[in-house]
Amino acid sequence: MTIIELTTYALVSFIVVLWCYFKWKNRHFEKIASKLEGPPSYPIIGTGLESIGTHQQFSDNVIKLLSSYGGEPCKVWLGPYFGVGISKPEDLQIILNSSKALDKSKFYNFFKNAVGEGLFTAPVHKWRKHRRLIAPVFNANVLDQFFPVFNEKNRILIENLKKELGKTQPFDLLDYIMKTNLDIICQTAMGYNLDSQSNKVSEFSDALNKIMELDTLRVYKPWLYPDIIFSIYRRLMGLQNVYKKLHKLPNQVIREMKETYAQRKMENKNNAMDVNDEKPLKVFLDTLFDLNEAGENFSDEEIRDEVVTMMMTGSETSTITGCYCLLMLAIHPKIQDKVYDEIFEVLGDGDQTITIEDTTKLVYLEQCIRETLRLYPLVPVFLRQLQDDVKIFSDDLILPKGTICLISPLTTHHMPELYPNPWSYNPDNFDAENVNKRHKYSFIAFSGGPRGCIGSKYAMLSMKVLISTFLRNYSVHTDLKLSDIKLKLDLILRCSNGFPVTIRQRDRRPTYKKK
């Protein structure tokens, strides 16, 4: 035999042996897979062929895939890793509340270049500790301290939007709302006055958008799994420094606030605070510094990871939901009028600032926000990896240890048996009567169970203040129809069209009294 023949024989033999080993190692997954429907899969790349094409084509393929199996469990091979799509509320309740399903899976390692091991990506042992220590910052009893910041930053938003009055050409809401929410999260969570609304370019926001698209594509493209290949890909795309740009602002915030914290501690030590003195705003970053002083020993890297996670989730998620909600109200003017009438009834025609008590009365506005999150859930898909066998409700199916559960709010929220006409916008889906008819896990915009979103109450309050303040001052309009909206999957569900609207000045009268 020639050298070429020997080499070819050895290579083919190696591939056959490797494939046999892979099949043997995954035999328990193969047994479950044989019972389930799912998209075509191929050796090594799994269902990776669905990822070929432009980002928009990839998004369209995934959305189509998610809705193809009527909510029944389906098999999905993520490269060489076995996954099962879970959509039914009864199954979601089991998975999301199981102590055996707290691990967010190896795919979240792809996001650690951006957010390290904050609450979003942390392994279970670190997540347990950090969540227990951080949770009091988001206690409902202390959220009212943030309202002066909410009101101040939204007042600046209203002032900045004046330049758009009288224009017939639509503008994109995204930049205005993003800067507002970035300022809010920096002030309320870090005690840092970023003031990005003063027409400053946000390098952080730009880097964050690029990273979300980059890291999410990596999940769905198995050929980018190896770090060395991903590093080469980033260089080819001119994004080798994108993570440094993302971390520049958080590092600056931590450095400056550490100095402020130390200075304040020294002043308090030297000059005992008078009992009548107003206590400063107690923020998330102060809590981390306090915990360090108490012996919890957060490293500088751990603090940065939690700060980046907080800045990312606190600004990006509220921004996209706020933009979607205002766009929905622009597309549906009668619903917008009903929201405004409720705001007028609660707040009147003056300029008084909104309080936490006022937000509890904005019931229909909350229905609109929740319906927006149903129609366009921020995180379209998230993953949980089983640390042991788990039995789900559907067909008494036992999912073996190591299975990656693909949980898709985008699928669950559009199941017609849960929400009639699921692709229409209907805030009445969330009136008390309809909510009581449905399973609790029919709505999972904030996930659920022990690893559910820690900041969901904060986010809802922040969005209520932003949208009510916006609508008190301006009506919002668009030429877009609901059917025109094209969705793009990153870590967050984005709108390919952007959020093009025009605005008009309010006359501060309830619409139901107008002729």
Side-chain angles (χ1 to χ4, degrees):
M1 298 178 68
T2 66
I3 296 295
I4 294 177
E5 289 174 333
L6 282 171
T7 303
T8 303
Y9 177 78
L11 182 60
V12 171
S13 298
F14 174 76
I15 292 173
V16 170
V17 170
L18 186 65
W19 177 244
C20 290
Y21 171 75
F22 173 79
K23 298 291 282 186
W24 178 83
K25 184 181 179 182
N26 289 286
R27 62 195 183 281
H28 50 305
F29 295 138
E30 296 280 357
K31 183 178 179 180
I32 294 295
S34 67
K35 300 177 182 179
L36 301 174
E37 291 187 87
S41 63
Y42 305 92
I44 308 301
I45 65 170
T47 58
L49 291 181
E50 301 289 338
S51 304
I52 294 176
T54 66
H55 196 151
Q56 187 61 60
Q57 289 170 331
F58 153 70
S59 299
D60 293 343
N61 288 341
V62 172
I63 291 170
K64 182 179 178 181
L65 174 65
L66 292 173
S67 60
S68 297
Y69 300 98
E72 295 297 328
C74 62
K75 61 183 176 185
V76 180
W77 285 95
L78 300 169
Y81 306 110
F82 178 66
V84 174
I86 306 290
S87 304
K88 288 186 175 180
E90 298 83 359
D91 295 337
L92 293 172
Q93 184 172 23
I94 292 171
I95 297 298
L96 292 175
N97 285 284
S98 174
S99 61
K100 303 171 185 176
L102 292 174
D103 196 318
K104 284 198 167 185
S105 98
K106 56 180 68 67
F107 287 95
Y108 283 78
N109 292 335
F110 295 158
F111 299 99
K112 289 184 180 179
N113 284 325
V115 297
E117 289 189 346
L119 286 179
F120 174 63
T121 56
V124 175
H125 71 279
K126 180 179 282 190
W127 165 79
R128 287 186 193 277
K129 175 187 174 183
H130 286 203
R131 172 111 182 186
R132 174 177 54 83
L133 295 172
I134 292 170
V137 178
F138 295 96
N139 188 300
N141 296 326
V142 301
L143 290 178
D144 62 337
Q145 70 176 331
F146 300 138
F147 270 70
V149 178
F150 291 164
N151 283 305
E152 177 195 353
K153 300 307 180 185
N154 280 291
R155 179 188 57 77
I156 297 171
L157 168 66
I158 298 306
E159 190 65 29
N160 286 344
L161 284 169
K162 286 182 178 178
K163 66 173 70 75
E164 303 294 347
L165 283 170
K167 294 182 179 180
T168 56
Q169 190 68 25
F171 68 95
D172 196 332
L173 281 167
L174 186 65
D175 187 51
Y176 286 100
I177 306 297
M178 182 65 190
K179 287 180 177 179
T180 302
N181 282 317
L182 187 56
D183 282 354
I184 287 173
I185 195 64
C186 283
Q187 190 85 52
T188 57
M190 269 49 90
Y192 187 85
N193 186 17
L194 180 61
D195 195 24
S196 67
Q197 292 189 89
S198 299
N199 295 316
K200 296 177 182 177
V201 176
S202 176
E203 187 178 53
F204 176 85
S205 299
D206 183 53
L208 181 58
N209 290 337
K210 290 176 181 176
I211 283 170
M212 283 189 171
E213 180 174 336
L214 186 65
D215 287 349
T216 304
L217 279 179
R218 190 180 182 191
V219 173
Y220 295 104
K221 293 183 181 291
W223 47 91
L224 294 179
Y225 288 0
D227 288 340
I228 188 169
I229 294 178
F230 182 61
S231 179
I232 293 170
Y233 177 78
R234 279 167 46 206
R235 288 184 176 278
L236 291 174
M237 298 297 291
L239 297 172
Q240 61 268 34
N241 295 319
V242 69
Y243 294 107
K244 290 182 180 178
K245 291 179 180 179
L246 180 76
H247 293 154
K248 182 178 177 181
L249 176 60
N251 287 335
Q252 176 185 330
V253 170
I254 294 169
R255 184 172 60 252
E256 293 185 21
M257 297 316 297
K258 258 189 178 179
E259 294 173 1
T260 301
Y261 177 84
Q263 184 179 358
R264 188 167 64 243
K265 294 284 286 187
M266 184 62 68
E267 290 173 354
N268 290 343
K269 184 177 180 180
N270 294 335
N271 305 300
M273 185 180 289
D274 189 270
V275 292
N276 295 319
D277 285 350
E278 183 178 346
K279 292 184 178 180
L281 181 69
K282 182 73 171 180
V283 298
F284 166 76
L285 194 51
D286 286 341
T287 299
L288 293 184
F289 293 153
D290 284 344
L291 288 168
N292 255 6
E293 288 211 342
E296 291 297 340
N297 296 321
F298 282 93
S299 68
D300 289 346
E301 188 177 55
E302 286 176 325
I303 291 175
R304 189 205 66 192
D305 292 347
E306 296 297 356
V307 167
V308 174
T309 298
M310 191 66 62
M311 290 178 69
M312 180 186 79
T313 56
S315 61
E316 192 79 4
T317 56
S318 295
T319 293
I320 299 299
T321 299
C323 288
Y324 269 125
C325 189
L326 287 168
L327 185 62
M328 291 300 100
L329 297 179
I331 293 172
H332 303 86
K334 290 183 179 179
I335 295 177
Q336 182 181 167
D337 286 346
K338 188 173 178 180
V339 173
Y340 175 72
D341 289 343
E342 180 184 67
I343 294 168
F344 186 91
E345 184 178 340
V346 172
L347 298 171
D349 59 357
D351 291 319
Q352 69 271 28
T353 55
I354 188 171
T355 66
I356 195 168
E357 290 78 16
D358 293 329
T359 62
T360 63
K361 302 172 186 176
L362 298 175
V363 176
Y364 190 68
L365 173 56
E366 181 164 334
Q367 288 178 215
C368 290
I369 295 172
R370 290 187 179 278
E371 175 66 355
T372 301
L373 285 165
R374 180 198 69 80
L375 197 58
Y376 306 113
L378 280 169
V379 181
V381 183
F382 54 93
L383 311 177
R384 297 290 175 85
Q385 186 161 354
L386 302 184
Q387 288 95 58
D388 206 340
D389 294 357
V390 173
K391 183 178 180 180
I392 60 174
F393 184 81
S394 296
D395 297 325
D396 288 333
L397 193 66
I398 297 177
L399 303 180
K401 176 181 177 180
T403 299
I404 296 173
C405 296
L406 289 84
I407 298 170
S408 172
L410 193 63
T411 302
T412 301
H413 291 180
H414 292 88
M415 293 171 65
E417 58 267 37
L418 299 175
Y419 300 96
N421 302 312
W423 285 99
S424 64
Y425 184 74
N426 179 18
D428 289 340
N429 280 322
F430 289 91
D431 65 26
E433 182 180 355
N434 283 323
V435 168
N436 289 334
K437 289 178 183 176
R438 289 191 302 269
H439 193 285
K440 178 182 177 182
Y441 283 78
S442 298
F443 181 73
I444 51 170
F446 296 109
S447 185
R451 266 202 113 150
C453 177
I454 194 173
S456 58
K457 291 179 180 177
Y458 172 98
M460 187 60 71
L461 289 174
S462 176
M463 288 187 286
K464 278 188 174 183
V465 175
L466 186 146
I467 295 168
S468 62
T469 303
F470 191 108
L471 294 179
R472 286 178 80 191
N473 291 275
Y474 306 116
S475 59
V476 59
H477 310 269
T478 187
D479 292 329
L480 277 186
K481 297 180 178 62
L482 202 61
S483 57
D484 295 329
I485 292 177
K486 294 284 287 181
L487 301 177
K488 184 173 75 171
L489 296 182
D490 289 338
L491 181 59
I492 286 176
L493 188 66
R494 300 181 184 277
C495 182
S496 296
N497 315 65
F499 303 93
V501 300
T502 57
I503 58 173
R504 300 171 195 163
Q505 190 79 47
R506 286 279 185 194
D507 60 7
R508 296 290 183 94
R509 288 182 296 166
T511 60
Y512 59 79
K513 290 184 179 179
K514 294 179 183 178
K515 295 182 180 179

